[in-house]
Amino acid sequence: MTEQELKNFLDEKYLLYNHPRFIETDPLSIPRLFSRKEDIEIAGFLAATIAWGQRPTIIRNASKLMDWMDNRPFEFITQNETTDFERFDEFVHRTFNGIDCRYFLHALREIYRSGSSLETLFTEGFQQDGSMMSGIVRFRGKFLSYQPEKRTLKHVANPLKGSSAKRINMFLRWMVRDNFTGVDFGLWKDIPTSALMMPLDVHSGNVARKLGLLKRKQNDWKAVDELTSRLRDFDRDDPVKYDFALFGLGVFEKF
């Protein structure tokens, strides 16, 4: 198809899948339980962190985390001490276990108690050179500065080592893109949607290659950069809106 036909096709699928009716079966349903900004950030970050595998399992385990935090994640994390995190020793989602979970809660507690936030860390990094890679690297450096065990490091993606950082990019999409359709939140105002990078996974990668949008075979950061750059040809201000189109085509239409 021509460039215009491809853009029209992607725009059509974006409008179809960027809709609240799909939230129920998406990890995005977890932060959608909350209205307080900090609760949304923390719930979204934890849900995104374990967002690999079967979607019902992801949602069930993310819901368990919220229940164990008394469905008040910000208050629970900032008002409790490390000993109060012991219940999370039993948490398991694939390779993310209780050791990892307790460290994540500890790191989040230290960040928010210091007067910082997830938004602050990502934004500070982004403002260094206007790239989301720098935002992710800045966040990762601070988040992993509280002496985690070695096994926990792999659960925070490092684009400097080639990771596609799919789950972090998905979380950033949730926080930055506007709330016009009631899907993403639009909570963070100092990172423009034009700077976001595609949350590349197996589904969106396969569809992108079939449509001729992506040539690179590996789903790594170079592929993220290639695909996002290509999608900016269709919408310079909001390229990751096509995440809905590519993911929907792959998951719901088996494209």
Side-chain angles (χ1 to χ4, degrees), residues 78-126:
T78 56
Q79 296 181 10
N80 285 294
E81 300 305 320
T82 301
T83 53
D84 297 303
F85 297 161
E86 290 179 356
R87 71 183 74 173
F88 296 90
D89 287 345
E90 300 177 9
F91 184 80
V92 178
H93 178 81
R94 297 173 73 90
T95 62
F96 187 88
N97 68 11
I99 293 172
D100 309 313
C101 190
R102 285 187 65 172
Y103 178 81
F104 269 58
L105 299 182
H106 169 70
L108 287 167
R109 184 188 66 188
E110 296 305 306
I111 288 168
Y112 280 95
R113 278 187 175 181
S114 72
S116 186
S117 67
L118 294 175
E119 178 182 12
T120 299
L121 294 178
F122 281 106
T123 301
E124 285 176 350
F126 165 75

Side-chain angles (χ1 to χ4, degrees), residues 178-246:
D178 67 48
N179 189 36
F180 180 72
T181 61
V183 178
D184 295 323
F185 290 95
L187 291 175
W188 297 358
K189 305 302 184 183
D190 293 325
I191 298 175
T193 56
S194 59
L196 293 174
M197 304 297 285
M198 272 291 293
L200 180 65
D201 65 5
V202 172
H203 302 290
S204 58
N206 288 343
V207 173
R209 292 181 183 94
K210 290 179 180 178
L211 291 173
L213 296 168
L214 178 62
K215 294 180 180 179
R216 188 168 177 82
K217 295 181 179 179
Q218 302 99 309
N219 287 335
D220 57 10
W221 188 264
K222 288 184 178 179
V224 170
D225 192 35
E226 178 187 337
L227 178 57
T228 306
S229 297
R230 185 73 174 86
L231 293 173
R232 288 195 177 106
D233 293 338
F234 299 138
D235 192 328
R236 181 177 299 178
D237 295 328
D238 189 12
V240 303
K241 75 180 190 183
Y242 295 113
D243 182 34
F244 295 98
L246 298 180

Side-chain angles (χ1 to χ4, degrees), residues 138-188:
R138 163 66 176 142
F139 157 75
R140 188 178 193 275
K142 184 63 176 179
F143 190 80
L144 294 176
S145 69
Y146 305 103
Q147 299 182 321
E149 293 196 23
K150 186 176 180 180
R151 59 157 290 115
T152 302
L153 302 180
K154 66 178 180 289
H155 292 295
V156 186
N158 187 358
L160 288 178
K161 291 190 175 181
S163 172
S164 69
K166 180 259 182 177
R167 294 186 290 278
I168 292 179
N169 282 323
M170 180 176 69
F171 169 68
L172 291 168
R173 194 205 84 198
W174 294 351
M175 295 300 106
V176 173
R177 287 194 76 253
D178 67 48
N179 189 36
F180 180 72
T181 61
V183 178
D184 295 323
F185 290 95
L187 291 175
W188 297 358

Side-chain angles (χ1 to χ4, degrees), residues 3 5-6 18-20 25 52 60 83 102 116 123 130 208 226 232 235 255:
E3 283 287 287
E5 288 171 337
L6 180 55
N18 182 28
H19 194 281
T25 60
W52 84 99
R60 182 172 65 249
T83 53
R102 285 187 65 172
S116 186
T123 301
E226 178 187 337
R232 288 195 177 106
D235 192 328
F255 183 82

Side-chain angles (χ1 to χ4, degrees), residues 9-125:
F9 177 69
L10 292 173
D11 284 340
E12 176 186 331
K13 296 302 180 180
Y14 158 68
L15 292 173
L16 173 63
Y17 292 114
N18 182 28
H19 194 281
R21 64 176 169 270
F22 293 103
I23 291 177
E24 185 178 347
T25 60
D26 193 278
L28 184 58
S29 62
I30 301 302
R32 274 284 165 197
L33 297 171
F34 304 98
S35 57
R36 182 176 183 171
K37 178 177 182 285
E38 293 82 2
D39 286 334
I40 293 169
E41 289 176 349
I42 293 169
F45 177 68
L46 293 174
T49 294
I50 64 169
W52 84 99
Q54 297 295 318
R55 286 152 67 90
T57 304
I58 295 167
I59 294 171
R60 182 172 65 249
N61 285 336
S63 297
K64 182 187 296 183
L65 286 177
M66 297 304 107
D67 289 342
W68 287 0
M69 287 189 279
D70 305 321
N71 289 301
R72 297 179 297 112
F74 178 69
E75 288 185 19
F76 180 86
I77 284 173
T78 56
Q79 296 181 10
N80 285 294
E81 300 305 320
T82 301
T83 53
D84 297 303
F85 297 161
E86 290 179 356
R87 71 183 74 173
F88 296 90
D89 287 345
E90 300 177 9
F91 184 80
V92 178
H93 178 81
R94 297 173 73 90
T95 62
F96 187 88
N97 68 11
I99 293 172
D100 309 313
C101 190
R102 285 187 65 172
Y103 178 81
F104 269 58
L105 299 182
H106 169 70
L108 287 167
R109 184 188 66 188
E110 296 305 306
I111 288 168
Y112 280 95
R113 278 187 175 181
S114 72
S116 186
S117 67
L118 294 175
E119 178 182 12
T120 299
L121 294 178
F122 281 106
T123 301
E124 285 176 350

